[in-house]
Amino acid sequence: MDCIARVSRKPWSLPFTAEPEEVAALRRIMRLHLELWGLHGVVDAAQLCVSELVSNVIKHVGTGTPATLVVSMSGTRVRIEVHDADPRALPVLLDAVPDDESGRGMALVSATTDRWGVQLRADQKVTWCELPTELSCAEGHSGGARVNRVEALLSNYGCEPDRLWPAGVGAVAVVEEAAIDVIVDVLHWLRGHGRDSDEALDRAQIRFEAELE
């Protein structure tokens, strides 16, 4: 049932220069895209991986190296790749201890991800890792039965299933407005049946926050 409502998660890439000050910006971009994809549960791990993969390029290839961040779905896993133009400087998994000031980067990636590796090409290398999600298929979502029910409902408000949550802020805004229309209609229904809409909103917020915890 998780894949009835399809979520479009198209691969994306972002060229960048391997500078320490770029890491924070790449982390923010990663968060934005994963939240648009509905994958809130892997944001922290994905940001850590981006930090370590980019820092690895800075340290072992050199500051100022042109590189590219590529993010895609590999089955139900989130795949993160960092491309750089030096196929000689390979990342190494070291047996670093917690007090070590360096050498822990790929150990953290290994501990956080399902798998990682390096692909060597003629003019570049690709360091990649894959993070597990709770998805049952690549275009499913992690919201469970509640999200399924709402997406079925939103189709009656001009949002067909294949348009729900595609990549792009503009499309997300359209669906958000439809969701607000649903909430307003429900509030009208409650008022029409003599119920307190404010009390219902308060109870819904409390239950929503409890389920998030």
Side-chain angles (χ1 to χ4, degrees), residues 143-181:
R146 290 188 182 279
V147 175
N148 274 330
R149 291 199 297 267
V150 171
E151 290 185 342
L153 181 61
L154 285 173
S155 66
N156 295 321
Y157 284 75
C159 294
E160 298 301 322
D162 60 353
R163 293 177 56 207
L164 293 178
W165 305 112
V169 176
V172 173
V174 170
V175 181
E176 183 179 10
E177 285 300 315
I180 291 171
D181 283 341

Side-chain angles (χ1 to χ4, degrees), residues 6 15 23-24 31 33 38 41 45 67 73 76 89 95 133 138 175 178 188 204 206-207 213:
R6 299 166 65 87
V23 175
R31 174 179 289 277
H33 278 274
M73 294 300 297
T76 60
D95 293 327
T133 68
V175 181
H188 279 296
I206 291 170
R207 186 178 300 179
E213 294 175 357

Side-chain angles (χ1 to χ4, degrees), residues 1 21 31 33 59 77-79 98 110 114 118 120 123 129 161 184-185 190 196 205 208:
M1 298 298 290
E21 55 269 25
R31 174 179 289 277
H33 278 274
K59 180 177 180 180
R77 298 180 177 89
V78 175
R79 183 179 176 92
S110 180
D114 266 6
V118 182
L120 298 181
D123 58 347
C129 61
V184 172
D185 285 352
L190 288 168
D196 187 332
Q205 184 68 26
F208 172 70

Side-chain angles (χ1 to χ4, degrees), residues 22-108:
E22 288 291 307
V23 175
L26 293 170
R27 287 171 60 90
R28 287 193 297 270
I29 293 168
M30 175 63 76
R31 174 179 289 277
L32 173 63
H33 278 274
L34 291 182
E35 288 179 347
L36 288 173
W37 282 0
L39 299 178
H40 305 273
V42 299
V43 167
D44 290 344
Q47 288 184 312
L48 182 150
C49 290
V50 167
S51 295
E52 298 303 335
L53 294 182
V54 174
S55 296
N56 195 73
V57 175
I58 294 171
K59 180 177 180 180
H60 297 290
V61 182
T63 300
T65 297
T68 304
L69 173 66
V70 180
V71 181
S72 61
M73 294 300 297
S74 176
T76 60
R77 298 180 177 89
V78 175
R79 183 179 176 92
I80 301 170
E81 301 177 358
V82 171
H83 300 219
D84 69 74
D86 190 343
R88 298 167 300 173
L90 302 180
V92 178
L93 180 61
L94 301 176
D95 293 327
V97 298
D99 292 335
D100 287 346
E101 295 183 358
S102 63
R104 295 184 296 154
M106 297 313 298
L108 287 172

Side-chain angles (χ1 to χ4, degrees), residues 1-25:
M1 298 298 290
D2 185 48
C3 297
I4 290 179
R6 299 166 65 87
V7 181
S8 177
R9 299 187 176 98
K10 296 180 180 179
W12 58 273
S13 62
L14 179 66
F16 66 94
T17 302
E19 305 276 359
E21 55 269 25
E22 288 291 307
V23 175

